[in-house]
Amino acid sequence: MDSSEALPPPPPIIPANFVPTKAESGKASKAGKEESQTKFLPMVRRGVGTKGQKIQLLSNHFRVGVGIKDSFFFHYSVAMSYEDGNPVEAKGIGRKVIDKVYETYDELKNKNFAYDGEKSLFTLGSLKEKKMEFTVVLEDISSRRVGTHGDGHDSPSHGEKKRMRRQSQSKTIKAVISYAAKIPIQAIADALRGQDSEHFQEALRVLDIILRQHAAKQGCLLVRQSFFHDNPRNYTDLGGGVQGCRGFHSSFRPTQGGLSLNIDVSTTMVVKPGPVLDFLCENQNVKNPNLIDWTKAKRVLKSLRIKANNIEYKISGLSDNPCRTQKFSMKDGKDSNGEPRLIEITVYNYYKHHKGIELPYSADFPCINVGKPKRPTYFPVELCTLISLQRYTKALTNLQRAQLVEKSRQKPNERKEALAGSLRNSRYGNEPMLRSSGITIESDFTRVEGRILQPPRLVVGNEESFIPRGGRWNFNNKKLVKPMRLERWAIVNFSARCDTRFLCNTIKKCAEMKGIYINPPYQVFEEDGRSRRDPAPLRVERMYQLVKSKLPGPPQLLLCILPERKNSDIYGPWKRRSLADEGVATQCIAPTKINDQYITNVLLKINAKLGGMNSFLSMECAPSIPLLHNEATLILGMDVSHGSPGRSDVPSIAAVVSSRKWPSISCYRAAVRTQSPKVEMIQSLFKPVPSNDGTEDEGIIRELIMDFYETSNQRKPQQIIIFRDGVSESQFIKVLNEELIPIIEACKYLDEKWSPKFTFIVAQKNHHTKFFKDNAPDNVPPGTVIDSQICHPKNNDFYMCSHAGMIGTTRPTHYQVLHDEIGFSADDLQEIVHSLSYVYQRSTTAISIVAPVCYAHLAAAQMAQFIKFDELSETSSSHGGTTISGAVHVPQLPLLHQDVANSMFFC
């Protein structure tokens, strides 16, 4: 690199005694859109960690040089409209219009520009005028009609047909390009030095748009910053007419080492191209097209693009009647007055008699409609072919998801080679806008220094302790640290295949080895085979009637054997009846193979659900981190689970888990609430409602703090550490001010004089940074932490690979410390995070993210099953709920029975 491309030095390290400040109302950075309401801003980095054995790594960040720093990007807004003044809204047309403007007019001819495909265009240097209008004619507009059939179509005259085709395929569009803003490229260098710059995000956005435009010109499918080529080698079949398509993610990132290009392998789901009938048969798992459910077909085909008569169309729906009887009006010459004569004809007869096309399959099937509601245009389904690279946005089945995960895996070396190939094939060095902006991209992976933290010491039964190796351990010749006595329990069997005698013997043998005292089950309740075709709630009700008629009293546990693994419709109704109505702990299994290892893992979950403990950290007994042990400390894990893609009527589920029995950090309980669909911010943290005495807080935080107080010798937490999952960088200010503030308010509502200190950390798994060993084929070792070079130049963040990546390439968790009043050093906080990956009671491995976040995800997923089987029918309204103005009714979850509410039911 020459001096013109020199990267700015890393930002100065903030002194360790730095105290975070709250931004005064109205004085927040302009980056926050609601400055007047902003109280908290993300903190800056105070320092970096030093503990651990150093290790040299490579990351999938590629160094970027910024050569021309005194130039400007000029932002222009783009507005497009048809001749009648209606705005152009169809996707994909914008790029065609701008390309036509470029070809037709001189104003853009000698200008390098980047267009986002919608309403923004950027140039290096200004255009001649601040506002320009262009008129273009598109001959091949994507939503065109061919004029062969449908309501009000042309007559069969050959000359008229050609003329109508020309008219219907062309559209006149007016494009207005207006100056909006000027963005200095210098803003990039300023931000990388740690200086605030209101233009930095805009400048970075321009660079990312350049990458998107570059991919669009190559015919890629664009999914945000991920790009997918239509190459047979990129596809893998997932079943059900769905394919996984492998592409790559590419985006610019600010780092301590300067600007970098982050490139990663990315996978999206696409519809399998080919005949529509073939797709529907595969999607619905039927062999004969006569078995297709056309109601389901209408939902899945909506908005997909097809090719018919060698022209592309967008599906708007299906005809109401079969092709044989679906009629439309067609011109048939002229009447005696010279006016066009219209006749009614079926789609089937039109194709058979006017086109000479036999339709052996389509006669009794609905037609594909590519027109508008009041002006339909029909095609027989067997003449329609789905085009390639169309995203499949419906929820995947469990089998499809498993196939996607399995076929997307790449070993570290394979992924490294794929990333280097992606960068080479992208040929960013030839991109005119990047070249003229002085942007250069190095081809070598960025070298970073990581540190391998020492794993925490674990305590198990008989006061035995050990240090796990390689992020894994087992209970061979070891007993659980706090085994429970299982005296009253039973088995309910919904499966005809399970050998319950062998299961009971294996459970008894493994339990004794782990120190669990267990009586034989009171009884094995077998489902009547005649009930297996009945609805799941009815099957559960009958089973509970049988159990209650035979047992002398409530059992400690019901072990439920499900008929299918993972997707049994029994699961939701069974969990709801057990946990909400009866207050009985329950463990569901669907064993395909019963052995000691499988049963031991099941016993770990059962022991935790009954209030036992499998292992804990020795640091919970000894004050190895004084900041955690000198003051009562509450740890929260928070997550929001959303419904399936495309379902705007399914409420989101917010879950918060909290530690209890301080100084323990291995024991948790959960509070779960429904909230408005697709809302990411948790709405029920502080919820004052009217009561006889004024108001009462029914929020999540009060419930959890009261539990902590009761289980921690009547101590209120003086420190609260919050781990929040699933929040993107653009939401950091929002989550701080819409979640931390209500948590503080809930504390003040309990006691005005009580002011605990807070640390708020976001844990991100949905990012694209990966790490590789240099000259070694295996994954980075568990406990690896990185907090320099490719981390943010200003924000307090670090990456941690706490788990052993046995399959594929390890995905680190990106921890973003947004707020820290407690005052942790980098080493202490990283040690706490690392240690919290070893307290997960469900397994004998370190996990990839802190256990409280994982538990919150499990609690949300399990409670979501409570309402899933109702499908939000009228039955769910009996549980109460709220209606947000202009939104769907949000049913409340049933309350957990008091006998299980404080348990780790989610384990």
Side-chain angles (χ1 to χ4, degrees):
M1 269 193 179
D2 59 33
S3 59
S4 68
E5 294 174 306
L7 294 158
I13 298 298
I14 306 300
N17 60 359
F18 174 82
V19 178
T21 58
K22 297 177 183 178
E24 293 297 325
S25 179
K27 296 182 182 179
S29 162
K30 291 183 182 178
K33 292 182 180 178
E34 300 175 353
E35 299 95 332
S36 60
Q37 299 175 19
T38 300
K39 186 176 181 182
F40 293 108
L41 294 173
M43 67 178 292
V44 297
R45 185 186 306 278
R46 299 178 191 168
V48 295
T50 58
K51 286 184 179 178
Q53 176 188 342
K54 293 182 179 179
I55 181 173
Q56 298 304 311
L57 303 170
L58 301 176
S59 78
N60 59 337
H61 286 243
F62 298 87
R63 199 174 178 191
V64 175
V66 184
I68 304 173
K69 298 174 185 173
D70 55 355
S71 296
F72 292 86
F73 291 126
F74 283 76
H75 178 195
Y76 293 87
S77 62
V78 180
M80 297 182 187
S81 58
Y82 295 111
E83 285 180 291
D84 59 6
N86 286 325
V88 174
E89 294 176 343
K91 286 186 177 180
I93 293 180
R95 292 192 190 278
K96 294 178 181 178
V97 172
I98 293 298
D99 286 346
K100 196 73 173 178
V101 170
Y102 178 77
E103 294 169 11
T104 310
Y105 296 91
D106 292 334
E107 279 80 353
L108 292 179
K109 266 283 169 50
N110 299 316
K111 209 74 179 167
N112 291 319
F113 62 85
Y115 175 53
D116 71 351
E118 296 180 7
K119 297 182 178 180
S120 292
L121 183 142
F122 300 89
T123 63
L124 188 66
S126 64
L127 298 175
K128 291 181 181 178
E129 304 290 338
K130 287 198 169 184
K131 184 174 182 179
M132 292 167 287
E133 293 187 8
F134 306 98
T135 302
V136 297
V137 177
L138 288 191
E139 298 295 337
D140 59 345
I141 197 160
S142 57
S143 54
R144 58 196 175 278
R145 290 163 47 157
V146 294
T148 54
H149 52 279
D151 181 18
H153 282 271
D154 61 299
S155 71
S157 157
H158 182 69
E160 283 187 67
K161 199 178 291 183
K162 288 182 69 177
R163 187 161 60 254
M164 285 292 290
R165 187 178 290 117
R166 281 198 301 271
Q167 291 173 359
S168 62
Q169 286 183 229
S170 64
K171 288 276 187 180
T172 300
I173 295 176
K174 183 173 77 171
V176 179
I177 299 177
S178 309
Y179 171 79
K182 189 165 75 167
I183 305 164
I185 297 179
Q186 179 65 33
I188 296 174
D190 291 343
L192 294 172
R193 291 191 179 94
Q195 301 172 13
D196 284 325
S197 170
E198 62 185 87
H199 295 297
F200 171 64
Q201 289 300 334
E202 289 99 319
L204 223 55
R205 177 176 168 236
V206 177
L207 297 183
D208 282 341
I209 287 171
I210 294 173
L211 300 185
R212 283 176 58 84
Q213 177 176 269
H214 184 67
K217 287 178 179 177
Q218 298 174 6
C220 290
L221 166 67
L222 310 183
V223 183
R224 293 178 291 277
Q225 286 301 128
S226 291
F227 315 130
F228 304 90
H229 290 269
D230 188 11
N231 186 320
R233 292 178 303 174
N234 296 338
Y235 295 112
T236 182
D237 194 65
L238 304 179
V242 182
Q243 294 178 318
C245 182
R246 181 173 288 174
F248 67 96
H249 166 93
S250 189
S251 65
F252 290 97
R253 305 281 302 171
T255 72
Q256 292 177 21
L259 192 64
S260 76
L261 180 67
N262 179 207
I263 295 183
D264 192 20
V265 174
S266 186
T267 304
T268 193
M269 283 70 69
V270 296
V271 171
K272 190 174 183 177
V276 169
L277 281 178
D278 290 356
F279 165 74
L280 291 175
C281 286
E282 202 171 338
N283 184 253
Q284 298 187 18
N285 195 26
V286 296
K287 293 183 179 179
N288 190 328
N290 292 314
L291 299 175
I292 290 173
D293 181 334
W294 289 98
T295 302
K296 290 181 180 177
K298 184 176 182 179
R299 285 199 300 267
V300 79
L301 291 176
K302 176 82 172 170
S303 299
L304 292 179
R305 303 192 74 82
I306 56 165
K307 184 173 282 189
N309 290 355
N310 217 25
I311 299 174
E312 285 183 20
Y313 298 90
K314 181 179 178 181
I315 298 175
S316 55
L318 299 177
S319 62
D320 295 330
N321 303 309
C323 181
R324 192 189 300 278
T325 59
Q326 180 64 53
K327 293 183 177 181
F328 67 93
S329 299
M330 185 180 80
K331 296 173 188 174
D332 185 28
K334 297 182 179 179
D335 60 19
S336 56
N337 298 323
E339 295 294 323
R341 183 171 58 233
L342 296 179
I343 62 168
E344 291 276 303
I345 187 171
T346 66
V347 176
Y348 179 83
N349 285 335
Y350 174 80
Y351 273 90
K352 185 173 182 178
H353 300 300
H354 289 265
K355 289 288 192 179
I357 298 176
E358 292 291 336
L359 301 172
Y361 296 110
S362 295
D364 298 315
F365 298 154
C367 300
I368 300 289
N369 182 10
V370 297
K372 296 180 180 178
K374 294 183 179 179
R375 193 176 174 83
T377 303
Y378 298 121
F379 281 108
V381 66
E382 69 187 86
L383 300 184
C384 301
T385 303
L386 290 164
I387 65 171
S388 58
L389 282 183
Q390 298 192 80
R391 286 187 75 199
Y392 182 82
T393 56
K394 309 292 188 295
L396 294 181
T397 64
N398 288 319
L399 186 59
Q400 287 173 327
R401 195 175 295 112
Q403 287 273 39
L404 179 65
V405 170
E406 183 181 340
K407 294 181 178 181
S408 299
R409 288 171 180 153
Q410 286 179 305
K411 294 178 181 177
N413 269 5
E414 293 172 356
R415 184 169 288 246
K416 226 162 73 174
E417 290 171 10
L419 296 179
S422 291
L423 183 59
R424 274 195 313 272
N425 296 335
S426 297
R427 297 184 177 88
Y428 288 136
N430 298 334
E431 210 294 320
M433 186 85 170
L434 288 179
R435 204 166 56 234
S436 58
S437 304
I439 302 294
T440 58
I441 301 166
E442 292 190 1
S443 58
D444 295 330
F445 288 77
T446 298
R447 293 185 175 274
V448 299
E449 185 176 86
R451 292 173 288 110
I452 306 170
L453 302 183
Q454 175 80 0
R457 180 173 288 276
L458 296 181
V459 178
V460 291
N462 296 331
E463 299 183 357
E464 182 185 349
S465 67
F466 64 95
I467 295 177
R469 292 185 178 182
R472 306 174 72 84
W473 64 97
N474 60 56
F475 275 99
N476 295 344
N477 305 315
K478 297 183 182 72
K479 297 189 183 299
L480 307 185
V481 68
K482 184 186 173 186
M484 299 302 290
R485 292 176 64 88
L486 190 50
E487 297 171 335
R488 303 181 317 281
W489 69 292
I491 296 175
V492 297
N493 185 14
F494 290 97
S495 172
R497 298 186 301 272
C498 186
D499 182 348
T500 53
R501 183 185 296 273
F502 180 67
L503 174 66
C504 291
N505 291 336
T506 310
I507 289 175
K508 181 174 177 61
K509 178 182 70 172
C510 293
E512 288 175 353
M513 291 168 61
K514 304 303 159 226
I516 297 175
Y517 174 83
I518 184 168
N519 281 336
Y522 183 85
Q523 190 170 334
V524 177
F525 296 95
E526 301 280 354
E527 183 182 36
D528 188 331
R530 293 170 295 182
S531 299
R532 290 191 175 131
R533 293 186 180 275
D534 291 336
L538 181 58
R539 294 170 67 186
V540 168
E541 176 62 30
R542 285 176 180 160
M543 182 62 82
Y544 250 105
Q545 287 176 0
L546 178 62
V547 169
K548 293 174 79 170
S549 70
K550 299 289 186 182
L551 290 184
Q556 289 173 277
L557 173 83
L558 286 176
L559 183 66
C560 176
I561 305 172
L562 298 174
E564 302 98 16
R565 189 162 176 257
K566 293 198 174 197
N567 58 350
S568 173
D569 57 356
I570 294 288
Y571 183 84
W574 177 260
K575 284 289 184 182
R576 175 171 175 164
R577 180 64 190 266
S578 300
L579 298 177
D581 300 339
E582 304 294 340
V584 175
T586 179
Q587 176 64 49
C588 292
I589 61 173
T592 54
K593 184 178 179 182
I594 298 173
N595 55 32
D596 287 6
Q597 182 181 355
Y598 176 82
I599 294 302
T600 297
N601 286 338
V602 170
L603 287 170
L604 294 181
K605 298 178 184 181
I606 290 173
N607 192 54
K609 287 176 179 178
L610 296 177
M613 190 64 57
N614 303 327
S615 62
F616 59 78
L617 306 174
S618 64
M619 63 179 278
E620 296 178 56
C621 307
S624 59
I625 301 180
L627 278 175
L628 272 190
H629 290 267
N630 293 347
E631 298 281 359
T633 302
L634 170 68
I635 298 175
L636 301 178
M638 312 203 305
D639 187 29
V640 178
S641 172
H642 302 293
S644 302
R647 289 293 304 271
S648 59
D649 58 336
V650 177
S652 294
I653 310 288
V656 183
V657 304
S658 64
S659 61
R660 55 207 308 261
K661 302 179 183 177
W662 178 82
S664 170
I665 58 173
S666 296
C667 188
Y668 294 84
R669 62 100 74 193
V672 188
R673 304 282 194 277
T674 50
Q675 59 185 41
S676 301
K678 309 301 180 188
V679 172
E680 181 57 45
M681 299 300 123
I682 299 178
Q683 298 175 323
S684 302
L685 296 169
F686 176 54
K687 189 179 178 182
V689 296
S691 69
N692 294 333
D693 301 324
T695 59
E696 183 178 342
D697 180 12
E698 293 185 354
I700 290 173
I701 296 302
R702 176 188 171 88
E703 177 183 333
L704 298 179
I705 286 175
M706 294 303 294
D707 176 76
F708 181 91
Y709 181 79
E710 290 164 6
T711 62
S712 303
N713 297 320
Q714 280 67 53
R715 287 175 180 263
K716 284 182 288 193
Q718 299 306 314
Q719 299 177 152
I720 300 178
I721 304 172
I722 303 161
F723 290 97
R724 178 64 158 92
D725 187 28
V727 177
S728 63
E729 289 181 43
S730 62
Q731 297 174 306
F732 283 174
I733 293 176
K734 187 179 177 71
V735 76
L736 269 179
N737 290 279
E738 293 188 18
E739 290 187 357
L740 181 55
I741 289 177
I743 292 172
I744 294 171
E745 288 174 342
C747 294
K748 288 294 183 186
Y749 190 90
L750 275 169
D751 183 352
E752 283 189 10
K753 298 178 181 178
W754 176 39
S755 298
K757 294 178 179 178
F758 293 92
T759 294
F760 196 104
I761 304 166
V762 169
Q764 296 174 314
K765 291 286 286 183
N766 191 21
H767 62 85
H768 289 278
T769 294
K770 302 288 189 298
F771 299 101
F772 307 93
K773 280 184 176 180
D774 196 5
N775 300 319
D778 50 334
N779 272 307
V780 298
T784 299
V785 62
I786 298 96
D787 62 0
S788 61
Q789 289 153 289
I790 53 90
C791 291
H792 196 276
K794 182 179 178 184
N795 295 349
N796 189 7
D797 67 326
F798 61 92
Y799 293 89
M800 183 171 289
C801 304
S802 52
H803 65 301
M806 308 302 290
I807 303 172
T809 304
T810 298
R811 176 185 291 185
T813 299
H814 191 190
Y815 292 98
Q816 305 257 10
V817 187
L818 303 188
H819 188 79
D820 181 24
E821 295 172 350
I822 298 175
F824 289 111
S825 68
D827 279 325
D828 280 352
L829 193 54
Q830 289 165 15
E831 185 178 345
I832 291 170
V833 167
H834 187 220
S835 298
L836 284 172
S837 303
Y838 281 80
V839 301
Y840 191 57
Q841 298 297 308
R842 284 164 54 100
S843 71
T844 54
T845 61
I847 56 175
S848 63
I849 197 166
V850 290
V853 162
C854 210
Y855 286 148
H857 183 75
L858 287 172
Q862 189 166 133
M863 295 288 278
Q865 296 287 335
F866 283 21
I867 55 175
K868 182 179 179 181
F869 73 90
D870 274 338
E871 294 182 347
L872 303 181
S873 63
E874 292 179 356
T875 56
S876 64
S877 63
S878 64
H879 311 134
T882 57
T883 302
I884 310 300
S885 178
V888 298
H889 174 80
V890 180
Q892 290 182 5
L893 288 167
L895 293 175
L896 291 176
H897 193 283
Q898 61 180 10
D899 291 347
V900 295
N902 294 329
S903 72
M904 292 177 70
F905 68 89
F906 41 81
C907 255

